[in-house]
Amino acid sequence: SQQGEEDPQALSIQEGENATMNCSYKTSINNLQWYRQNSGRGLVHLILIRSNEREKHSGRLRVTLDTSKKSSSLLITASRAADTASYFCATDSSNTGKLIFGQGTTLQVKP
Amino acid sequence: GAVVSQHPSRVICKSGTSVKIECRSLDFQATTMFWYRQFPKKSLMLMATSNEGSKATYEQGVEKDKFLINHASLTLSTLTVTSAHPEDSSFYICSARPLDGGHQETQYFGPGTRLLVL
């Protein structure tokens, strides 16, 4: 079953602005991962944050994790039109690799 | 970086036929691969875990006789949709988890296979 809830479901911003997406989950986790999917394509792994970590950075991406609130956020700074895609969070509760995906946020960055 | 391929990328078949989808890890070995299904504008739903050399583990509600999984080697898993019906039309995505212990948390996704059953 899907345990992740993401908001917003859709986000439209101008190039150069920051985009923030949120993810909430229900059970305890080993790690939480963020993926990107361009329309009709496979998934690209963006960043993984472990349950004992609170924040991680990778280029223009910043991910936070609050295990007490069972939530995570993905911030994309200085967005570009090429960032237009769907973004999914996924949780791994057993460290077996079985991922439970959130519903996703569709991001549109207007040039 | 690690690459996972899927073949075919797109398939159209008649109702009642069986369709085989291959998932290959091209530059790493994977004892575990995963099969997901995605409906349009929806999230990915885990169908099953494919284990090399043993039976696949199916998620609740997924018919194992309908979706046959074989993990014949450390680089190949296949999903066969048997007696396909229009409701099986979907986007099927696999992922593979490298054998290397240092990066076991990360898994790599294939580009997906779009199945249309007429």
Side-chain angles (χ1 to χ4, degrees):
Chain A
S1 62
Q2 301 294 325
Q3 74 159 343
E5 297 287 335
E6 291 187 59
D7 82 274
Q9 288 189 340
L11 181 61
S12 181
I13 59 175
Q14 293 294 135
E15 211 166 24
E17 294 181 339
N18 296 341
T20 300
M21 289 159 263
N22 302 296
C23 167
S24 61
Y25 56 92
K26 296 177 184 174
T27 63
S28 60
I29 61 171
N30 284 301
N31 65 69
L32 185 145
Q33 305 176 34
W34 283 91
Y35 289 86
R36 165 195 166 128
Q37 183 181 37
N38 287 80
S39 181
R41 309 290 292 274
L43 273 73
V44 175
H45 181 265
L46 295 176
I47 200 164
L48 179 152
I49 187 165
R50 296 185 180 88
S51 59
N52 61 351
E53 298 175 314
R54 292 297 166 258
E55 188 171 311
K56 249 185 156 175
H57 297 255
S58 177
R60 293 183 296 113
L61 305 180
R62 173 177 168 251
V63 167
T64 62
L65 178 65
D66 187 334
T67 52
S68 66
K69 295 181 180 178
K70 291 187 169 59
S71 66
S72 173
S73 67
L74 170 67
L75 168 67
I76 303 175
T77 59
S79 63
R80 305 168 183 167
D83 293 329
T84 295
S86 291
Y87 292 82
F88 294 92
C89 68
T91 54
D92 183 348
S93 298
S94 58
N95 209 26
T96 60
K98 289 174 60 171
L99 297 178
I100 303 299
F101 281 82
Q103 297 304 309
T105 294
T106 300
L107 172 66
Q108 182 185 32
V109 182
K110 299 175 183 176
Chain B
V3 178
V4 175
S5 70
Q6 279 184 242
H7 177 80
S9 59
R10 180 184 296 261
V11 57
I12 301 173
C13 69
K14 291 182 179 179
S15 189
T17 61
S18 294
V19 175
K20 180 186 283 188
I21 303 170
E22 294 185 347
C23 176
R24 291 181 187 273
S25 54
L26 298 185
D27 49 3
F28 64 95
Q29 292 183 324
T31 53
T32 305
M33 292 184 175
F34 302 92
W35 286 97
Y36 295 85
R37 181 174 181 175
Q38 185 180 32
F39 290 103
K41 300 188 188 301
K42 296 291 185 182
S43 188
L44 280 76
M45 181 190 78
L46 178 65
M47 298 175 67
T49 303
S50 173
N51 303 297
E52 188 268 337
S54 64
K55 290 182 179 179
T57 306
Y58 291 81
E59 295 301 302
Q60 191 172 12
V62 179
E63 298 177 59
K64 61 180 181 182
D65 295 328
K66 173 75 172 175
F67 300 99
L68 299 178
I69 292 172
N70 183 268
H71 196 144
S73 74
L74 288 172
T75 59
L76 172 65
S77 174
T78 60
L79 168 68
T80 301
V81 183
T82 62
S83 186
H85 290 282
E87 58 265 31
D88 298 323
S89 298
S90 192
F91 193 52
Y92 293 88
I93 307 177
C94 72
S95 70
R97 206 178 184 201
L99 197 55
D100 171 23
H103 297 278
Q104 262 187 9
E105 293 171 312
T106 301
Q107 55 186 277
Y108 300 92
F109 283 78
T113 295
R114 189 163 302 283
L115 170 64
L116 177 60
V117 184
L118 301 177

